[in-house]
Amino acid sequence: MDHKIITISRQYGSGGRIIGQKLADELGIPFYDNELINLAAEKTGLSKECFKEAESVSTGNLLLSLTTLTPTVDSYGLPLNEKIFLVQSQVIKEVAEQGSCVIVGRSADYVLSENPNCINVFIHAELEDRVKRAVELYGLDAKNVESAVLKTDKKRAGYYNYFTGRKWGKLENYDLSINTSKISLDDVVYILKTYVEKR
């Protein structure tokens, strides 16, 4: 396979991470999700918790230019969550340069928007299906699960919108958008694999 980077953005409970992992296995290429946090933490010396917390702290209307990122990110004077975004973005660019891979979340579609080898996917599903998956696979408490699912999506949208200036989930930002309520996760993997190989 030629050098291809597949980014997967997803609604919580839609199965996007599972799809990303299976797709990477099918294609025989690296898979990055929380691994990006580990790499960024190593790069900065900050704890992994700092990176996880920063993703839920995004208010205002900042648009960062990623085209000027250098291997040593100059982030003097920036708030911690913005420094973390810059470092994480640098890590995403570095792993994309190394070869084909699947990257889940982290606004990777935006970070790699100038990379011609990038294929951007958005995975979504009906709320009831996402709630069911959150309880059965992710172990969320059934009592408050719908609220938790919606809250997680709101955080993801806020983080993405804040750092990219784009609207999370907007079709124009992706090559493919797939509703996993209409098709099995394995079939989604098959469709994505076929798309990647045909492109």
Side-chain angles (χ1 to χ4, degrees):
M1 185 178 73
D2 294 335
H3 187 166
K4 300 276 177 63
I5 301 101
I6 302 98
T7 74
I8 296 181
S9 303
R10 76 282 186 224
Q11 289 182 320
Y12 186 75
S14 64
R17 188 183 190 284
I18 297 168
I19 289 166
Q21 180 70 72
K22 287 187 173 187
L23 179 63
D25 292 343
E26 283 283 329
L27 296 172
I29 60 178
F31 171 77
Y32 296 101
D33 181 13
N34 292 329
E35 294 80 1
L36 291 170
I37 290 179
N38 298 340
L39 291 169
E42 289 173 12
K43 197 177 191 73
T44 60
L46 294 170
S47 71
K48 296 173 189 176
E49 287 69 29
C50 279
F51 284 84
K52 290 177 181 176
E53 289 173 10
E55 291 187 357
S56 63
V57 182
S58 51
T59 55
N61 187 27
L62 173 72
L63 181 61
L64 293 172
S65 173
L66 299 176
T67 57
T68 58
L69 283 178
T70 59
T72 54
V73 178
D74 180 11
S75 56
Y76 178 77
L78 289 176
L80 181 60
N81 65 320
E82 294 171 18
K83 292 179 185 179
I84 284 173
F85 180 79
L86 288 174
V87 172
Q88 195 164 254
S89 297
Q90 187 65 48
V91 169
I92 288 170
K93 286 193 167 189
E94 288 171 3
V95 299
E97 287 172 6
Q98 292 169 11
S100 296
C101 60
V102 175
I103 302 173
V104 172
R106 322 290 169 201
S107 304
D109 62 291
Y110 172 74
V111 174
L112 300 174
S113 59
E114 295 184 3
N115 189 319
N117 300 317
C118 207
I119 297 170
N120 302 312
V121 179
F122 189 80
I123 303 295
H124 57 104
E126 307 302 331
L127 181 58
E128 63 181 283
D129 295 319
R130 295 193 286 130
V131 164
K132 183 179 179 183
R133 186 174 283 116
V135 172
E136 294 178 355
L137 295 183
Y138 308 158
L140 267 64
D141 181 1
K143 185 178 180 182
N144 301 311
V145 65
E146 184 172 319
S147 173
V149 167
L150 294 173
K151 185 176 180 181
T152 301
D153 276 351
K154 187 176 180 180
K155 283 183 179 180
R156 287 179 179 174
Y159 178 85
Y160 183 88
N161 299 350
Y162 172 66
F163 283 111
T164 71
R166 295 178 174 181
K167 185 173 181 179
W168 183 72
K170 189 176 182 182
L171 293 179
E172 289 85 346
N173 297 332
Y174 310 96
D175 298 294
L176 289 172
S177 177
I178 300 177
N179 185 343
T180 56
S181 290
K182 310 296 185 184
I183 189 171
S184 74
L185 300 190
D186 286 337
D187 284 340
V188 173
V189 172
Y190 173 78
I191 289 169
L192 293 180
K193 182 183 178 186
T194 302
Y195 184 88
V196 170
E197 290 171 345
K198 294 289 185 183
R199 177 151 153 174

